[in-house]
Amino acid sequence: MLPIVEKTLRTSFVNASRKETTDITLPAGFETLDWDALDYLGWRDPKIGRRAYAVVPTLDGELIGILFRQAEASPRSRAQCSWCQDVKLPNDVTFYSAKRSGPAGRNGNTVGTLVCQDFQCSRNVRKLPPPAYEGYDVEAARLRRIEDLQVRAASFAAEV
């Protein structure tokens, strides 16, 4: 992901009001983030419970910011993240909903997804997978997982 500045981040949100974008608390260490290790920027708001954000680059390079609301109930069984699809998750997965942009969102239409609770997907897909068979190219598999995460996140952002 290319580095972004605060103003660009705040103006990227497609499903938030001006007040909501003004109230965004930036992620801890925003100025020192390792942008090369991120496929999207996602974080939970430390000041507003059950609120989270993600800024996702689309496949053509635009940024789409999404304001999420965390579901009140958590899944009863271990869920799989829809974005990174890591089968050995070291973290919890949460259902987040996002108001759609434009008139649909103003009418109350939402879209939801299961995502790593603290948006650790970029870190998860960068772990080398175990070799599936002799001669298995684990580096190629890792790169494919990174690309798949970028496509799934961008696809969800486009739905918003």
Side-chain angles (χ1 to χ4, degrees):
M1 182 170 180
L2 294 174
I4 56 177
V5 295
E6 181 179 348
K7 182 178 180 184
T8 303
L9 179 141
R10 290 186 189 280
T11 58
S12 71
F13 283 85
V14 296
N15 68 338
S17 68
R18 286 190 192 130
K19 173 151 180 32
E20 288 170 326
T21 57
T22 303
D23 291 344
I24 292 172
T25 303
L26 295 178
F30 177 72
E31 300 80 22
T32 59
L33 286 172
D34 180 6
W35 294 98
D36 291 333
L38 295 175
D39 301 294
Y40 67 90
L41 175 61
W43 73 102
R44 295 165 56 97
D45 194 315
K47 294 182 181 175
I48 304 173
R50 309 178 81 77
R51 185 180 283 184
Y53 312 97
V55 178
V56 180
T58 62
L59 299 177
D60 59 359
E62 293 182 50
L63 292 175
I64 296 178
I66 306 165
L67 183 145
F68 286 105
R69 304 243 187 273
Q70 180 181 342
E72 292 191 29
S74 59
R76 294 175 197 235
S77 62
R78 180 76 176 189
Q80 182 179 25
C81 174
S82 297
W83 289 11
C84 68
Q85 295 186 351
D86 192 335
V87 295
K88 294 185 177 183
L89 281 175
N91 50 266
D92 288 331
V93 173
T94 301
F95 181 80
Y96 287 108
S97 65
K99 189 171 52 169
R100 289 190 183 269
S101 62
R106 287 189 291 278
N107 288 333
N109 294 339
T110 61
V111 63
T113 188
L114 288 165
V115 180
C116 292
Q117 185 171 356
D118 292 318
F119 300 95
Q120 303 98 319
C121 299
S122 293
R123 184 176 43 219
N124 293 341
V125 298
R126 281 171 171 68
K127 294 181 296 190
L128 286 176
Y133 51 85
E134 189 175 326
Y136 182 73
D137 189 346
V138 292
E139 182 59 27
R142 185 180 74 84
L143 292 173
R144 190 168 38 257
R145 287 170 40 126
I146 292 169
E147 289 172 10
D148 289 346
L149 167 61
Q150 292 168 350
V151 168
R152 284 190 287 272
S155 295
F156 179 82
E159 283 186 55
V160 172

